[in-house]
Coordinates of all heavy atoms in Angstrom, one line a residue:
S1016 N 27.3 -0.1 -3.1 CA 28.0 0.4 -2.0 C 28.6 1.8 -2.4 O 28.7 2.1 -3.5 CB 29.1 -0.5 -1.6 OG 28.5 -1.7 -1.1
K1017 N 29.0 2.5 -1.4 CA 29.5 3.9 -1.6 C 30.8 3.9 -2.2 O 31.8 3.2 -1.8 CB 29.6 4.6 -0.2 CG 28.2 5.0 0.4 CD 28.4 5.6 1.7 CE 27.1 6.1 2.3 NZ 26.6 7.3 1.5
A1018 N 30.9 4.8 -3.3 CA 32.2 5.0 -3.9 C 33.2 5.6 -3.0 O 32.9 6.5 -2.2 CB 32.0 5.9 -5.1
G1019 N 34.5 5.1 -3.1 CA 35.5 5.6 -2.2 C 35.4 5.1 -0.8 O 36.0 5.7 0.1
G1020 N 34.7 4.0 -0.6 CA 34.5 3.5 0.8 C 35.1 2.1 0.9 O 35.5 1.5 -0.1
P1021 N 35.1 1.5 2.1 CA 35.8 0.3 2.3 C 35.2 -1.0 1.8 O 35.8 -2.0 1.7 CB 35.9 0.2 3.9 CG 34.7 1.0 4.3 CD 34.6 2.2 3.4
D1022 N 33.9 -0.8 1.3 CA 33.2 -2.0 0.8 C 32.9 -1.8 -0.7 O 32.2 -2.7 -1.3 CB 32.0 -2.4 1.6 CG 31.1 -1.2 1.9 OD1 31.4 0.0 1.4 OD2 30.1 -1.3 2.6
Y1023 N 33.4 -0.8 -1.3 CA 33.1 -0.6 -2.8 C 33.7 -1.6 -3.7 O 33.0 -2.2 -4.5 CB 33.6 0.8 -3.2 CG 33.2 1.2 -4.6 CD1 31.9 1.6 -4.9 CD2 34.1 1.2 -5.6 CE1 31.5 2.0 -6.1 CE2 33.8 1.6 -6.9 CZ 32.5 2.0 -7.2 OH 32.1 2.3 -8.4
L1024 N 34.9 -2.1 -3.4 CA 35.5 -3.1 -4.3 C 34.9 -4.4 -4.2 O 35.0 -5.3 -5.1 CB 37.0 -3.2 -3.9 CG 37.9 -2.0 -4.3 CD1 39.4 -2.4 -4.0 CD2 37.8 -1.7 -5.8
L1025 N 34.2 -4.7 -3.1 CA 33.5 -6.0 -3.0 C 32.5 -6.2 -4.1 O 32.2 -7.4 -4.4 CB 32.8 -6.1 -1.6 CG 33.7 -6.0 -0.4 CD1 32.9 -6.0 0.9 CD2 34.7 -7.1 -0.4
Q1026 N 32.0 -5.2 -4.7 CA 31.0 -5.3 -5.7 C 31.6 -5.8 -7.0 O 30.9 -6.3 -7.9 CB 30.3 -3.9 -6.0 CG 29.7 -3.3 -4.8 CD 29.3 -1.9 -5.0 OE1 28.1 -1.5 -5.0 NE2 30.3 -1.0 -5.2
F1027 N 32.9 -5.7 -7.1 CA 33.7 -6.1 -8.3 C 34.3 -7.5 -8.1 O 35.1 -7.9 -9.0 CB 34.7 -5.1 -8.7 CG 34.2 -3.7 -9.0 CD1 33.8 -2.8 -8.0 CD2 34.0 -3.4 -10.3 CE1 33.3 -1.6 -8.3 CE2 33.5 -2.1 -10.6 CZ 33.1 -1.2 -9.6
L1028 N 34.0 -8.2 -7.0 CA 34.6 -9.4 -6.7 C 33.6 -10.5 -6.3 O 32.5 -10.2 -5.9 CB 35.5 -9.2 -5.4 CG 36.7 -8.3 -5.6 CD1 37.2 -7.8 -4.3 CD2 37.8 -8.9 -6.4
E1029 N 34.0 -11.7 -6.5 CA 33.3 -12.9 -6.1 C 33.9 -13.5 -4.8 O 35.1 -13.8 -4.9 CB 33.2 -14.0 -7.2 CG 32.6 -13.6 -8.5 CD 31.1 -13.5 -8.4 OE1 30.5 -13.6 -7.3 OE2 30.5 -13.2 -9.5
P1030 N 33.2 -13.6 -3.7 CA 33.8 -14.2 -2.5 C 33.8 -15.7 -2.6 O 32.8 -16.3 -3.1 CB 33.0 -13.7 -1.4 CG 31.6 -13.4 -2.0 CD 31.9 -13.0 -3.4
R1031 N 34.9 -16.3 -2.1 CA 34.9 -17.8 -2.1 C 35.4 -18.3 -0.8 O 36.2 -17.5 -0.1 CB 35.9 -18.3 -3.2 CG 35.4 -18.0 -4.7 CD 36.3 -18.6 -5.7 NE 36.3 -20.1 -5.5 CZ 37.2 -20.9 -6.1 NH1 38.2 -20.4 -6.8 NH2 37.2 -22.2 -5.8
V1032 N 35.1 -19.5 -0.4 CA 35.6 -20.1 0.8 C 36.1 -21.5 0.4 O 35.4 -22.3 -0.3 CB 34.5 -20.3 1.8 CG1 35.0 -21.1 3.0 CG2 34.0 -18.9 2.3
V1033 N 37.3 -21.8 0.9 CA 37.9 -23.1 0.7 C 38.1 -23.7 2.0 O 38.9 -23.1 2.9 CB 39.2 -23.0 -0.1 CG1 39.9 -24.4 -0.1 CG2 38.9 -22.6 -1.6
T1034 N 37.5 -24.9 2.3 CA 37.7 -25.6 3.5 C 38.4 -26.9 3.3 O 38.1 -27.6 2.4 CB 36.3 -25.9 4.2 OG1 35.7 -24.6 4.5 CG2 36.5 -26.7 5.4
E1035 N 39.5 -27.1 4.0 CA 40.3 -28.3 3.8 C 40.4 -29.1 5.2 O 40.8 -28.5 6.2 CB 41.7 -28.0 3.3 CG 42.6 -29.2 3.1 CD 44.0 -28.9 2.7 OE1 44.3 -27.7 2.6 OE2 44.8 -29.8 2.7
N1036 N 40.1 -30.4 5.1 CA 40.4 -31.3 6.2 C 41.8 -31.7 6.1 O 42.3 -32.3 5.2 CB 39.5 -32.5 6.1 CG 39.8 -33.6 7.1 OD1 40.5 -33.3 8.1 ND2 39.3 -34.8 6.9
I1037 N 42.6 -31.3 7.2 CA 44.0 -31.5 7.1 C 44.4 -32.7 8.0 O 45.6 -32.8 8.4 CB 44.8 -30.2 7.6 CG1 44.3 -29.7 8.9 CG2 44.6 -29.1 6.5 CD1 45.1 -28.6 9.5
Q1038 N 43.5 -33.5 8.4 CA 43.8 -34.7 9.2 C 44.3 -35.8 8.2 O 43.7 -36.0 7.1 CB 42.6 -35.2 9.9 CG 42.1 -34.3 11.0 CD 41.0 -34.9 11.8 OE1 41.2 -35.8 12.7 NE2 39.8 -34.5 11.5
R1039 N 45.3 -36.5 8.6 CA 45.8 -37.7 7.9 C 45.9 -38.8 8.9 O 46.8 -38.8 9.7 CB 47.1 -37.4 7.2 CG 47.1 -36.3 6.1 CD 46.2 -36.7 4.9 NE 46.3 -35.7 3.9 CZ 45.5 -34.6 3.8 NH1 44.5 -34.5 4.7 NH2 45.6 -33.8 2.8
Q1040 N 45.0 -39.8 8.7 CA 45.0 -41.0 9.6 C 45.0 -40.6 11.1 O 45.7 -41.1 11.9 CB 46.3 -41.8 9.4 CG 46.4 -42.3 7.9 CD 45.2 -43.3 7.6 OE1 44.7 -44.0 8.4 NE2 44.8 -43.2 6.3
G1041 N 44.1 -39.6 11.4 CA 44.0 -39.1 12.7 C 45.0 -38.1 13.2 O 45.0 -37.7 14.3
F1042 N 45.9 -37.8 12.3 CA 47.0 -36.9 12.6 C 46.7 -35.6 11.9 O 46.4 -35.5 10.8 CB 48.4 -37.4 12.2 CG 49.4 -36.4 12.2 CD1 50.0 -36.0 13.4 CD2 49.8 -35.7 11.1 CE1 51.0 -35.0 13.5 CE2 50.8 -34.8 11.1 CZ 51.4 -34.4 12.3
A1043 N 46.9 -34.5 12.7 CA 46.8 -33.1 12.1 C 47.8 -32.2 12.9 O 48.0 -32.4 14.1 CB 45.4 -32.6 12.3
P1044 N 48.4 -31.2 12.2 CA 49.3 -30.3 12.9 C 48.5 -29.5 13.9 O 47.4 -29.2 13.7 CB 49.7 -29.3 11.7 CG 49.5 -30.1 10.5 CD 48.3 -31.0 10.7
I1045 N 49.2 -29.4 15.1 CA 48.5 -28.6 16.2 C 49.4 -27.4 16.4 O 50.6 -27.5 16.7 CB 48.5 -29.5 17.5 CG1 47.6 -30.7 17.2 CG2 47.9 -28.6 18.6 CD1 47.6 -31.6 18.4
E1046 N 48.8 -26.2 16.2 CA 49.5 -25.0 16.4 C 50.1 -24.9 17.8 O 49.4 -25.1 18.8 CB 48.6 -23.8 16.1 CG 49.3 -22.5 16.1 CD 48.3 -21.3 15.8 OE1 47.2 -21.6 15.4 OE2 48.8 -20.2 15.9
G1047 N 51.4 -24.5 17.8 CA 52.1 -24.3 19.1 C 52.7 -25.6 19.7 O 53.3 -25.5 20.7
A1048 N 52.4 -26.7 19.1 CA 53.0 -28.0 19.7 C 54.5 -28.0 19.5 O 55.0 -27.5 18.5 CB 52.3 -29.2 19.0
D1049 N 55.1 -28.8 20.4 CA 56.6 -29.0 20.3 C 56.9 -29.9 19.1 O 56.2 -30.8 18.8 CB 57.1 -29.6 21.6 CG 57.0 -28.6 22.8 OD1 57.0 -27.4 22.6 OD2 56.9 -29.1 23.9

Side-chain angles (χ1 to χ4, degrees):
S1016 297
K1017 288 177 172 293
D1022 45 7
Y1023 187 72
L1024 290 185
L1025 297 178
Q1026 302 168 117
F1027 297 81
L1028 296 163
E1029 301 284 8
R1031 294 186 60 195
V1032 173
V1033 172
T1034 297
E1035 179 185 357
N1036 174 14
I1037 56 175
Q1038 295 185 77
R1039 297 293 185 272
Q1040 303 297 325
F1042 166 79
I1045 299 176
E1046 184 178 351
D1049 294 332

